[in-house]
Amino acid sequence: MREVVEPRAQEAPSALVIVGQPVAQSLSPTFQNAALRHTGRAVVYTRCEVASTALGPAVDDLRRARTAGNVTMPHKEAMFTLATHTTAAAERTRAVNTFWWDGDALVGHNTDVDVVIATVAALCSGGAVSYTHLRA
């Protein structure tokens, strides 16, 4: 059984990646590296192109390198199944788009729902929809 945890990393990663296929078009490294430089963090965010058949070995390599990051299509559901610890958001969606390591345990989280909820709440004027209402 998978352990459900809070969405907080216990250790800083050595590097950050976006894992998916394809990822060559991803703008994530551009804006993530700008944010990392701005905050003075000595870590780099890169792309990691991984075929579905190679995801397991790639995750092992990321663990050994202490690399955390983001997951995009088509790997979100597969990363959920690989995670030994997940957040409640990942459990609800059965998908992982953010991952990190707690020792050797792969921790998976999903930020997709919260981003959509926050966006809908921000765009709805007059208080018609609140963030709390949408999360229920």
Side-chain angles (χ1 to χ4, degrees):
M1 178 153 184
R2 187 183 340 263
E3 182 179 347
V4 178
V5 298
E6 291 297 313
R8 290 181 186 80
Q10 302 300 313
E11 59 186 80
S14 63
L16 296 167
V17 296
I18 182 165
V19 177
Q21 187 180 45
V23 292
Q25 80 292 352
S26 175
L27 296 177
S28 292
T30 302
F31 67 79
Q32 296 286 8
N33 283 316
L36 290 163
R37 280 190 303 277
H38 180 75
T39 61
R41 300 193 191 274
V43 64
V44 177
Y45 189 102
T46 60
R47 294 174 187 90
C48 184
E49 181 101 12
V50 179
S52 295
T53 56
L55 185 60
V59 168
D60 288 340
D61 290 344
L62 294 170
R63 178 186 47 78
R64 282 189 290 278
R66 310 314 295 165
T67 299
N70 302 112
V71 181
T72 191
M73 298 308 288
H75 302 317
K76 292 181 180 187
E77 291 174 345
M79 282 293 273
F80 175 81
T81 64
L82 292 172
T84 53
H85 296 58
T86 53
T87 63
E91 287 293 320
R92 281 193 309 275
T93 59
R94 313 285 299 168
V96 163
N97 73 343
T98 304
F99 71 96
W100 62 91
W101 303 97
D102 184 1
D104 283 338
L106 175 60
V107 182
H109 179 50
N110 190 302
T111 62
D112 290 336
V113 173
D114 284 342
V115 169
V116 170
I117 290 171
T119 301
V120 170
L123 294 175
C124 291
S125 62
V129 178
S130 71
Y131 181 80
T132 304
H133 174 76
L134 287 170
R135 286 194 51 85

